[in-house]
Amino acid sequence: MKAVDGTRGAWPRWSADAGLVALTVLPPLLSQPYVDPSGVAWSALAGYEAVTAVLLALRRRLPATAFAAGLAALVVAPAGGASQDAKLTPLVFLPLAVLFYGLGCYCTSWVRTGLAMSGGIVAIAAGLLVNWTTAGAREYKGGLDILASLAPMPLAWAMGFAARTRRALLAAAEQRVADADRAQRLEAAQATQRERARIAREMHDVVAHSLTLLVVHAETLRARGDELPGWARTQIDGLAAAGRQTGGELRDLLRMLRDPAEAAPLQPMPGLGELAALLDSHRAAGGTIEARVGAALGSLPSAVQLAGYRVVQESLANARRHAPGAPVRLTVDSAAGRLRCEVVNTRAARRGTAGAGVGLGLTSMRERVSALGGDLSAEPTDDGGFRVVATMPLESAGA
């Protein structure tokens, strides 16, 4: 793409240069027959035009050199033709005007500009002297007519200098805009980082502290497990394991919030290979689940595995909160290039926890699945239960 764009960008410049050379070279050739159609005049003009055509093409890269060489060619061609009693058209001064403009527009060194103009004055004076000493007739000797043709030339240099100044001002304005945009993005990034740090502090002070207390209490109860009934010991074990896992994931999340550059978590992100441990923790918390999990799910793209794991995790948590004691049926399988996760629970065996959750679980699941180009449906069933189905394509996640 870069090569194509560069070719497209270079073509208009070359076409403009070709057009400029044609407009500069053709007028003298068209007017010469009306001034002097002799072979000597045509030979001098042809050599001069060939040299100036090359110099016009080089005026951008070597403005001072092209100007000095063009002025020297202009001095040699008319003076040489006059020594052979040949006269060139006055339009031979046209290429010099273009070279003057190029000197003002592209030469950024005042030293080179001064040297080129000083050398040009010396060359013109020497050319007039040679012309007066070698021309056979007075009509071939230059004088005020030469000076009249050269007088407007500094205006071409002034126009080129004005164009270069305007280009520099535009470049400076664009640079200021780019610097302002960069500063604005930096300020926004710093504000985002400050907000991330504030959120991390709040989560650490509130959530992490409470979660740590929960795990400590669960471990204390485990230490006194001989004083608890069997069903309580099982649930305490599940509670402690879930607390430790959640604490580890919360530490990783806080670490990434404080420093987004450290995007890699301390612990590997869970995938479908950890579903067995997730189901065990659900059973340890008193849940009943019938699972049908497909084979070779561990080879799926990691993004799809993480999203599928989170969907199952959130669905089981919702079932425990809103339908405690209800049997859950889980189906996870991949077919036709898509992963399908279905979690269905029946009617609750007893009243759920009042006010449990803040309504963000389904939103989070839907955002995860949608980010991978999948679909998620969550709706009540006819028997009073709840059904969550998530389907995600595998190709977009692995691309």
Side-chain angles (χ1 to χ4, degrees):
M1 289 302 296
K2 292 183 178 180
V4 174
D5 293 341
T7 303
R8 291 179 179 176
W11 168 245
R13 171 174 290 186
W14 281 107
S15 62
D17 286 345
L20 178 63
V21 171
L23 292 176
T24 307
V25 171
L26 288 179
L29 296 176
L30 296 176
S31 64
Q32 184 62 40
Y34 302 97
V35 177
D36 186 356
S38 64
V40 175
W42 276 109
S43 298
L45 180 62
Y48 171 73
E49 295 279 71
V51 172
T52 55
V54 176
L55 295 177
L56 288 173
L58 296 176
R59 74 191 189 281
R60 298 179 188 272
R61 297 179 58 186
L62 303 171
T65 303
F67 169 77
L71 188 57
L74 178 63
V75 170
V76 171
S83 65
Q84 301 295 323
D85 294 335
K87 188 175 183 180
L88 300 185
T89 173
L91 292 181
V92 293
F93 290 92
L94 187 58
L96 182 62
V98 179
L99 294 175
F100 246 118
Y101 179 89
L103 181 65
C105 186
Y106 304 113
C107 186
T108 58
S109 173
W110 286 103
V111 175
R112 293 182 181 179
T113 300
L115 291 176
M117 289 188 174
S118 300
I121 294 174
V122 174
I124 293 172
L128 287 175
L129 179 61
V130 172
N131 175 243
W132 273 83
T133 58
T134 58
R138 185 177 182 84
E139 61 178 313
Y140 298 110
K141 296 180 179 181
L144 295 178
D145 55 336
I146 301 296
L147 298 178
S149 300
L150 293 174
M153 293 298 172
L155 293 178
W157 177 87
M159 293 175 61
F161 179 77
R164 177 162 60 90
T165 303
R166 179 176 178 273
R167 189 168 60 246
L169 291 176
L170 290 177
E174 292 177 355
Q175 185 62 40
R176 287 195 298 270
V177 172
D179 292 341
D181 183 64
R182 190 180 303 109
Q184 184 178 6
R185 291 198 302 268
L186 179 60
E187 183 179 356
Q190 291 175 347
T192 302
Q193 180 57 30
R194 290 194 296 268
E195 184 65 15
R196 285 174 176 267
R198 186 190 67 81
I199 295 175
R201 287 194 301 269
E202 294 294 333
M203 292 182 65
H204 179 272
D205 294 342
V206 178
V207 182
H209 178 69
S210 300
L211 186 60
T212 302
L213 289 178
L214 177 64
V215 174
V216 169
H217 289 315
E219 294 292 348
T220 302
L221 291 175
R222 289 181 63 186
R224 302 177 61 181
D226 54 348
E227 303 177 12
L228 300 175
W231 64 267
R233 287 196 298 269
T234 302
Q235 292 193 356
I236 288 298
D237 292 340
L239 179 61
R244 286 193 299 271
Q245 179 184 359
T246 305
E249 295 180 358
L250 182 59
R251 285 193 299 272
D252 294 340
L253 177 60
L254 294 178
R255 177 170 170 264
M256 287 186 287
L257 279 175
R258 292 191 183 99
D259 189 359
E262 300 182 7
L266 295 176
Q267 299 177 356
M269 299 303 291
L272 298 178
E274 286 74 28
L275 280 182
L278 180 62
L279 300 182
D280 291 341
S281 65
H282 177 76
R283 295 187 181 99
T288 302
I289 186 169
E290 176 188 351
R292 188 180 65 182
V293 180
L297 295 180
S299 61
L300 299 181
S302 58
V304 173
Q305 291 198 53
L306 175 60
Y309 181 90
R310 294 304 188 194
V311 167
V312 175
Q313 183 184 42
E314 182 65 24
S315 300
L316 294 180
N318 288 339
R320 290 194 300 270
R321 283 194 296 261
H322 303 290
V328 178
R329 185 176 72 252
L330 169 66
T331 304
V332 181
D333 201 358
S334 62
R338 301 179 71 87
L339 175 69
R340 185 176 185 274
C341 301
E342 181 181 14
V343 183
V344 183
N345 63 267
T346 60
R347 183 189 299 273
R350 56 183 182 273
R351 184 182 298 275
T353 304
V358 294
L360 296 179
L362 291 177
T363 302
S364 177
M365 286 193 294
R366 187 169 284 108
E367 289 176 351
R368 283 183 180 273
V369 174
S370 298
L372 298 176
D375 299 311
L376 184 138
S377 63
E379 56 188 4
T381 59
D382 295 336
D383 60 355
F386 203 78
R387 179 173 179 262
V388 176
V389 179
T391 58
M392 291 163 282
L394 305 181
E395 292 184 359
S396 59

